[in-house]
Amino acid sequence: RVTSATVMKTFCGRANPATGALDWVEESEEYDYHQEIARSCYADMLHDHDRNEKYFQGIRAAVSRVKARGEKVIVLDIGTGTGLLSMMAVTAGADYCYAVEVFKPMADAAFRIVKKNGFSDKIKIINKHSTEVTVGLDGDMQTRANVLVTELFDTELIGEGALPSYEHAHLNLVQVGGCEAVPHRATVYAQLVESEQLWSWAQLQPMEVDGCKLLPPPAVSHCAGAHSVCDIQLSQVSPHRFTPLGPLCTMFSVDFSKPVSSAPQSHSSSFPAQSSGRAQVVLSWWDIDMDPSGSIVCSMAPSWTYPDPQSAPWRDHWMQSVYFLPVERRVAEGEELSLTVSHDDYSLWYSLQLSNQSCVEAPPCRPCCVCQAHLVWTRTRFGELNDRQRTQSYVRALRSVVKPDSVCVGVSDGSLLPVFAHMLGAKKVFSLESSGMLKQVIEQVLNANSMSGGVQILGIRPDQLSSTDLAGEQISVLIGEPYFSTSLLPWHSLYFWYCRTALVRLLTPNATILPCSATLCMVAVEFQDLWRIRAPCGTCEGFDVGPMDEMVQQSLDFRESHESEPQPLWEYPCRALTQPRAVMTFDFLQCVPEQPIRCQGSLPFTRRGRCHGVALWMEYQLNDDIKVSMGLTRPVSEEGACEWSLHRKQGVYFFRSPWESSGDGRASVSYSFTFEPSIGDIKMDFTVASQ
């Protein structure tokens, strides 16, 4: 950050679709926290009635237990957010609450919410990290608390620092020897499975290219991969997509009413394999008991574990976790196995041993990528590269244009298309890679398949490429997926068009550009649940949280409400209320124009429903016959069901308030798009009106 006597600015990294680079953009002082508020899950949490109801029940029970002992009820609420749990505690009969919130805009909102609901005399908002809170006559807290209420959890349970926070609280902020805690306990569960779909996100698989096998490098296949958790809406992964190899195991529990340790630990669960298969993936989630008896339970289990999947609560702030074993292992039905979970103070990881080995082996080390592929390819990128149907589409398109005298240049990040072009017999193949690590990963692929030197990988930008780099040749085939690691929204991959324009001086007069064009598509949708992340709450469990709604809306109005945001829509079911439409086409056979490209029109609502916004995606025309979609993967069903690509995020433009569609075609969503060549981005606007 930089400051002067009159102004304070912050510099933010932002992808530049016109250059493919990460630019440092000067923003106003407020930008950081407006972004954090706008992208937060505060509304999602408050819309989670199951969570709120269970917390309220647990708080009432804890307050009653303390009162039954004849003690005053002093509550410590760590990570109070809106102050909701503190207000629940006072309503339940607590004598006083200390509500700790480190994020100042949220602490300010909590102060206003507490005041608006008439609890200012019994709730003190402390704008600090809990580890900085002091106790004593002159401290933030007059006395230690005997009830500890927290919501410090993430999808992985401990990823937001829950263990160190609890450890510190027990040592310094709550009564010595233990307290009443809400939640009382958390339990982590795991299941060992085989899943081709999920495993494709972790390891590069062999590929078929014109009858030849392209093998993954051994260093990649034997790499433990990235240590970070893969958090997804596991409810959207059909049970048909995996085979359980063992039972659902209870891995470990943490009792929050007693002193908690953040020291690294390991826990194992032994079982006979339920079936033969390849042990690849661990599915994991947790639940919390709000009371010591375990009668008030809030579970993160996916919907397919419920007798009635429709009854499962939806939440986006807590999802489920997928962990990939360091290497897959074949197991036989009946074989005794031991699944081990290890954790430090912020993350979990899993390993698998034979039961008779687990007692003598040292605790498994935290996974660490040593092949570099897991550092430069995201999990969805692994899935995209492993998609056989997608690979065959590109191979068929390349086969139609690659000739024995072709000089091919590939422009995409970490792409295998140049390798395919070499395998298809191109005279020369060059690949432009944006990073040294990506260059090394592709070189590993070439070396593993005895193709070293078959593709010349150049670590330069397209505008730096010269005839000398091409050994005097001209480009006859320019290829791209297109995929760029800096792209956030679907149309940011139009950077390929800028690359093509920069290379125009090196193209033969009749050069093939693959893909030859791109199309921006849209459809107005009704979300099953995703709308909750943007919907105002108003009243939550009887408490007015309007000041939070105002704070979020102010931050959205700062910029976000005028922009789309990236979302993996395969995880978030929606119904199409209009027909999908191609609204803007970009001709890669021509250079990027100097003037903006504009289009406008309207789409009538053809289905009844509640329209929450618009979904947007790109489709690429590889040649006259082959098209690949980064959005809808098949036509919308008669009822409006949408099937989305697993590999790319789509753009979502949320309306400020939903629109009720009668489906009779009298109402429509009007759209206006402007592609700005100077910045490589698309500005858009939507309105909904009836005739």
Side-chain angles (χ1 to χ4, degrees):
R1 291 191 169 191
V2 294
T3 60
S4 70
T6 57
V7 67
M8 182 173 179
K9 297 289 186 181
T10 185
F11 288 92
C12 302
R14 184 175 301 159
N16 185 333
T19 64
L22 189 69
D23 291 347
W24 289 102
V25 180
E26 185 180 282
E27 296 283 3
S28 69
E29 177 186 0
E30 297 84 12
Y31 180 81
D32 273 349
Y33 76 77
H34 278 306
Q35 279 278 296
E36 184 165 348
I37 294 168
R39 298 296 192 196
S40 70
C41 289
Y42 292 122
D44 170 38
M45 287 187 285
L46 295 182
H47 281 295
D48 187 348
H49 176 68
D50 178 74
R51 162 195 175 272
N52 300 337
E53 183 181 48
K54 301 290 176 56
Y55 260 103
F56 212 163
Q57 291 173 2
I59 288 169
R60 286 195 194 99
V63 170
S64 295
R65 289 194 298 274
V66 175
K67 281 190 170 296
R69 297 196 295 263
E71 301 174 24
K72 292 186 70 172
V73 180
I74 306 300
V75 176
L76 172 61
D77 175 6
I78 300 178
T80 193
T82 59
L84 176 67
L85 303 185
S86 289
M87 292 189 294
M88 288 179 176
V90 172
T91 302
D95 294 283
Y96 201 78
C97 290
Y98 296 101
V100 181
E101 175 57 51
V102 68
F103 186 41
K104 189 175 189 310
M106 197 69 242
D108 292 343
F111 181 85
R112 294 195 301 274
I113 291 170
V114 166
K115 182 177 180 180
K116 189 168 189 176
N117 286 273
F119 294 110
S120 295
D121 59 332
K122 289 199 171 184
I123 298 175
K124 178 182 180 181
I125 304 298
I126 303 171
N127 180 208
K128 288 184 176 182
H129 193 282
S130 64
T131 57
E132 299 172 341
V133 172
T134 57
V135 180
L137 292 178
D138 298 321
D140 301 304
M141 299 171 60
Q142 293 292 296
T143 183
R144 288 184 176 229
N146 51 18
V147 175
L148 176 58
V149 177
T150 61
E151 204 282 63
L152 299 171
F153 315 116
D154 68 349
T155 292
E156 203 171 16
L157 182 68
I158 64 173
E160 291 184 0
L163 295 181
S165 295
Y166 272 112
E167 185 174 45
H168 176 271
H170 275 285
L171 288 171
N172 301 280
L173 305 177
V174 300
Q175 65 184 14
V176 178
C179 63
E180 298 290 346
V182 183
H184 176 79
R185 152 191 332 108
T187 304
V188 173
Y189 304 91
Q191 186 168 39
L192 179 68
V193 304
E194 174 182 354
S195 172
E196 182 178 352
Q197 176 187 333
L198 299 178
W199 188 242
S200 74
W201 298 347
Q203 295 291 356
L204 194 63
Q205 306 298 318
M207 299 177 193
E208 186 88 17
V209 180
D210 259 21
C212 297
K213 283 276 190 185
L214 182 68
L215 301 174
V220 177
S221 300
H222 297 97
C223 180
H227 70 267
S228 58
V229 64
C230 176
D231 54 339
I232 63 171
Q233 292 285 356
L234 200 53
S235 296
Q236 299 308 312
V237 177
S238 167
H240 299 297
R241 294 282 189 158
F242 59 86
T243 302
L245 301 180
L248 183 64
C249 300
T250 300
M251 299 307 300
F252 70 94
S253 294
V254 183
D255 185 339
F256 298 125
S257 68
K258 299 175 182 176
V260 171
S261 171
S262 62
Q265 295 182 34
S266 292
H267 310 269
S268 295
S269 180
S270 298
F271 54 87
Q274 291 181 342
S275 59
S276 299
R278 294 172 297 163
Q280 300 167 324
V281 176
V282 177
L283 310 181
S284 183
W285 57 87
W286 49 269
D287 64 27
I288 43 180
D289 294 326
M290 296 298 185
D291 66 327
S293 68
S295 60
I296 309 168
V297 182
C298 187
S299 174
M300 304 313 119
S303 62
W304 36 257
T305 66
Y306 284 68
D308 175 16
Q310 299 300 318
S311 67
W314 182 88
R315 32 189 155 239
D316 204 44
H317 52 104
W318 296 330
M319 292 188 279
Q320 296 80 38
S321 302
V322 174
Y323 298 89
F324 305 100
L325 294 178
V327 292
E328 67 177 4
R329 170 182 285 181
R330 288 203 169 273
V331 299
E333 184 177 355
E335 185 176 8
E336 287 293 330
L337 304 174
S338 180
L339 184 65
T340 297
V341 61
S342 304
H343 70 79
D344 52 21
D345 48 355
Y346 281 93
S347 60
L348 308 178
W349 60 93
Y350 283 84
S351 59
L352 183 69
Q353 304 88 20
L354 298 178
S355 282
N356 59 3
Q357 294 177 340
S358 60
C359 59
V360 297
E361 289 186 354
C365 296
R366 179 175 176 160
C368 178
C369 175
V370 294
C371 73
Q372 299 191 47
H374 299 91
L375 302 179
V376 294
W377 285 336
T378 63
R379 293 186 173 105
T380 51
R381 180 61 171 159
F382 267 99
E384 187 168 55
L385 294 171
N386 286 324
D387 186 325
R388 296 186 187 91
Q389 184 176 344
R390 173 186 175 278
T391 294
Q392 289 311 309
S393 293
Y394 280 100
V395 169
R396 283 192 293 116
L398 285 169
R399 191 189 301 121
S400 70
V401 298
V402 171
K403 310 300 179 188
D405 61 348
S406 294
V407 176
C408 303
V409 170
V411 180
S412 277
D413 287 352
S415 176
L416 297 178
L417 296 195
V419 181
F420 298 165
H422 170 70
M423 297 175 73
L424 292 169
K427 173 186 171 183
K428 287 187 178 181
V429 183
F430 301 87
S431 179
L432 308 187
E433 287 295 353
S434 62
S435 84
M437 281 199 294
L438 280 169
K439 181 174 182 287
Q440 291 178 41
V441 170
I442 301 302
E443 285 173 345
Q444 287 184 61
V445 173
L446 293 168
N447 293 337
N449 291 275
S450 302
M451 298 181 197
S452 183
V455 177
Q456 295 185 46
I457 307 174
L458 306 176
I460 55 178
R461 300 191 311 269
D463 60 329
Q464 297 173 317
L465 188 68
S466 68
S467 179
T468 302
D469 297 314
L470 301 177
E473 300 276 7
Q474 283 195 301
I475 304 167
S476 58
V477 181
L478 179 65
I479 54 179
E481 301 187 31
Y483 173 86
F484 302 100
S485 54
T486 55
S487 298
L488 297 176
L489 289 160
W491 44 93
H492 289 173
S493 288
L494 287 174
Y495 173 56
F496 176 77
W497 202 8
Y498 291 84
C499 296
R500 176 259 186 268
T501 303
L503 294 170
V504 66
R505 68 197 186 285
L506 299 174
L507 297 172
T508 61
N510 58 346
T512 296
I513 312 295
L514 188 157
C516 58
S517 66
T519 303
L520 175 66
C521 304
M522 66 167 277
V523 64
V525 296
E526 173 187 54
F527 284 110
Q528 181 175 300
D529 295 296
L530 189 62
W531 59 271
R532 302 172 198 271
I533 69 172
R534 290 290 170 268
C537 296
T539 301
C540 179
E541 306 303 318
F543 302 101
D544 186 344
V545 294
M548 189 215 67
D549 291 335
E550 295 166 8
M551 177 188 71
V552 172
Q553 191 57 56
Q554 182 183 4
S555 291
L556 287 169
D557 289 342
F558 184 76
R559 179 171 297 159
E560 302 296 320
S561 63
H562 307 292
E563 296 180 346
S564 297
E565 61 183 71
Q567 294 286 355
L569 290 185
W570 74 269
E571 294 186 56
Y572 303 107
C574 62
R575 287 178 57 243
L577 300 183
T578 66
Q579 294 302 315
R581 176 174 292 181
V583 292
M584 186 176 273
T585 298
F586 309 91
D587 185 0
F588 294 160
L589 300 182
Q590 306 297 322
C591 291
V592 176
E594 294 183 1
Q595 299 302 314
I597 302 174
R598 296 183 174 88
C599 77
Q600 57 185 27
S602 62
L603 267 176
F605 287 104
T606 55
R607 295 182 184 89
R608 182 186 297 273
R610 194 171 217 217
C611 183
H612 297 110
V614 172
L616 303 123
W617 69 97
M618 298 295 286
E619 295 182 350
Y620 294 98
Q621 197 73 40
L622 303 186
N623 58 24
D624 291 341
D625 305 315
I626 302 173
K627 179 174 67 176
V628 291
S629 173
M630 306 303 168
L632 289 174
T633 56
R634 62 178 55 189
V636 172
S637 75
E638 196 170 313
E639 296 77 24
C642 301
E643 189 170 305
W644 299 97
S645 168
L646 301 177
H647 312 312
R648 299 281 181 107
K649 290 183 178 181
Q650 292 72 43
V652 177
Y653 187 105
F654 285 101
F655 296 153
R656 175 170 286 199
S657 55
W659 176 272
E660 298 291 343
S661 164
S662 60
D664 58 7
R666 294 183 180 180
S668 61
V669 54
S670 297
Y671 57 83
S672 172
F673 294 95
T674 302
F675 172 69
E676 297 282 358
S678 60
I679 59 173
D681 216 343
I682 296 176
K683 296 179 180 178
M684 58 192 68
D685 188 50
F686 302 93
T687 55
V688 180
S690 55
Q691 296 178 357

